[in-house]
Amino acid sequence: MLLQDKVVLVNGGSQGVGAGVVRAALREGARVVFTGRRADAGEAFAKETGAVFVRADLADPAKARGSVEQVVDLCGRIDCLVNAAGLTSRGSLLDTTPELFDAHVAINLRAPFFAMQAAVRNMVDRGAPGTIVNIITSSAHGGQPFLAPYVAAKAGLVGLTRNAAHAHRWDRVRINGLNIGWTDTEGEDAIQRAFHGAGDDWREKAAEAVPMGKLGQVDEIADFVVFLLSDRSGVVTGSVIDWDQIVFGGLD
């Protein structure tokens, strides 16, 4: 098992990619704690999987740090952190309000920063190695016009991932990011319906419009995240990997 007896925290783990990582980490032998804002969804998922649920609104920096502190209180340490919580509500350069911009920064950049701060501090204080994976987005390369605040925050997370990895390489804390592309999740379904007027057949139409004939799949992404968390990914740190079917820089 790739994560045998590792203590893993998945922030934003009650649905979507985060939930997939929770399942994959449990399968690979980890002790898993996950956070979410909705108590009903989190408690139901915890009951289903056997993972431990901690309710937390990560927009509050104290709660982001506190998510790690609660894991340490429960398990004595933290070995692995996955920052999977994300806000994808739409906004362009011209119509984004300061409130929407701040909401994106709070969830997509500030929350990972302070969760990483607490996790790395625990690892360094114990003199123990650890791994962190940040779920980012291929849109960090530029993205669509209607994703302006999202791209701004996630591009910041790209830089933070590399900065933190460089700063703590001698502590043997490996920090990597995954730029995921268009992915089939519950959240994406809600976004497509709310912002793009999509019908029940949007997944089929989307699959026809991409090279591999399907959107990114949660279980496949989760397996890759577990690999990056595990010792099998070797010495790799500071990498932000494009996990997408778009070839960035390629032109027709």
Side-chain angles (χ1 to χ4, degrees):
M1 291 188 179
L2 290 176
L3 298 176
Q4 185 68 50
D5 298 325
K6 297 291 187 182
V7 176
V8 178
L9 169 61
V10 182
N11 274 332
S14 57
Q15 66 175 11
V17 170
V21 174
V22 169
R23 295 182 190 278
L26 287 168
R27 183 195 69 219
E28 295 298 330
R31 299 169 65 189
V32 181
V33 180
F34 70 95
T35 65
R37 287 185 294 177
R38 290 176 44 214
D40 55 347
E43 290 166 1
F45 190 53
K47 184 177 181 180
E48 174 193 341
T49 60
V52 176
F53 170 62
V54 172
R55 186 178 185 183
D57 182 355
L58 300 172
D60 180 349
K63 296 291 178 62
R65 286 193 299 260
S67 65
V68 174
E69 292 163 359
Q70 289 189 67
V71 170
V72 174
D73 288 343
L74 287 167
C75 304
R77 68 183 195 280
I78 182 169
D79 300 308
C80 308
L81 169 66
V82 179
N83 285 307
L87 179 67
T88 58
S89 51
R90 294 345 195 191
S92 72
L93 179 65
L94 298 183
D95 64 24
T96 295
T97 64
E99 292 78 15
L100 179 61
F101 185 87
D102 288 347
H104 274 274
V105 171
I107 292 295
N108 294 325
L109 179 56
R110 192 173 65 193
F113 185 102
F114 286 104
M116 288 168 63
Q117 181 186 80
V120 173
R121 178 173 288 129
N122 178 262
M123 295 165 186
V124 170
D125 286 350
R126 292 186 293 112
T131 51
I132 296 173
V133 174
N134 292 320
I135 305 300
I136 315 179
T137 174
S138 58
S139 293
H141 290 289
Q144 297 90 331
F146 54 77
L147 291 177
Y150 176 70
V151 169
K154 287 290 194 177
L157 185 55
V158 170
L160 172 61
T161 298
R162 292 180 173 135
N163 179 272
H166 176 73
H168 293 284
R169 66 199 191 282
W170 288 103
D171 297 313
R172 296 180 296 151
V173 176
R174 298 191 297 111
I175 304 172
N176 295 289
L178 203 59
N179 274 343
I180 63 173
W182 199 2
T183 304
D184 185 358
T185 65
E186 308 98 307
E188 182 62 21
D189 180 64
I191 284 286
Q192 288 297 319
R193 294 175 189 274
F195 291 95
H196 302 287
D200 292 341
D201 62 345
W202 75 265
R203 287 181 174 86
E204 289 75 16
K205 290 181 177 178
E208 294 171 358
V210 293
M212 303 304 161
K214 66 177 183 178
L215 298 183
Q217 300 297 301
V218 166
D219 60 336
E220 296 168 353
I221 295 169
D223 285 346
F224 199 81
V225 171
V226 164
F227 173 76
L228 287 174
L229 292 175
S230 77
D231 292 341
R232 289 297 298 153
S233 56
V235 298
V236 63
T237 191
S239 291
V240 179
I241 300 162
D242 290 328
W243 200 98
D244 201 353
Q245 52 196 305
I246 295 172
V247 180
F248 296 98
L251 299 172
D252 292 323

